[in-house]
Amino acid sequence: QLQLVESGGGLVQPGGSLRLSCAASGFTLDYYAIGWFRQAPGKEREGVSCISNSGHSTNYADSVKGRFTISRDNAKNTVYLQMNSLKPEDTAVYYCAAGVMATFSLKLYDFWGQGTQVTVSS
């Protein structure tokens, strides 16, 4: 059973922080690059951040640079997204995905999680 499970979402006020986790089961996550994506109602799914399988390379969307940090702990088969200084426009369902390379191209990812809701509102 190959699964990715996101957790850590919730309701937070503007300026607050959340830490999302993406845990893999049924396969070894360290073989894959991991991307974080988000989708707001009525909008296309967009790339937020991605990390290579080794963790040596990371990328961020311009909208989150300086606020979000992606990291991975391959020993725990888990990838994290630390989100600081959250803004209302960060509100979306956040998904993690495993693929062959660290990219914002959705079609290059093989496995997707179910998503976790992040709501930033006062």
Side-chain angles (χ1 to χ4, degrees):
Q1 186 75 19
L2 306 179
Q3 292 187 18
L4 292 172
V5 179
E6 302 95 336
S7 62
L11 175 64
V12 64
Q13 295 188 168
S17 298
L18 287 172
R19 190 192 194 201
L20 306 183
S21 298
C22 174
S25 64
F27 66 101
T28 302
L29 194 58
D30 63 1
Y31 184 79
Y32 292 91
I34 300 296
W36 282 99
F37 300 82
R38 66 188 183 187
Q39 188 167 21
K43 295 186 177 181
E44 297 292 320
R45 192 169 300 186
E46 64 176 352
V48 176
S49 183
C50 55
I51 187 168
S52 63
N53 59 351
S54 67
H56 291 170
S57 298
T58 59
N59 293 100
Y60 299 91
D62 288 343
S63 59
V64 307
K65 284 182 179 178
R67 300 189 297 121
F68 291 11
T69 303
I70 190 170
S71 62
R72 66 190 302 159
D73 187 341
N74 287 344
K76 296 181 179 179
N77 224 24
T78 301
V79 174
Y80 306 96
L81 184 67
Q82 179 67 46
M83 305 186 295
N84 299 326
S85 302
L86 283 162
K87 305 175 181 180
E89 50 263 45
D90 295 318
T91 296
V93 177
Y94 283 70
Y95 301 88
C96 68
V100 297
M101 64 186 300
T103 176
F104 289 160
S105 178
L106 277 64
K107 295 182 178 180
L108 294 181
Y109 288 89
D110 300 310
F111 306 105
W112 290 82
Q114 85 290 347
T116 185
Q117 177 70 48
V118 172
T119 302
V120 185
S121 176
S122 59

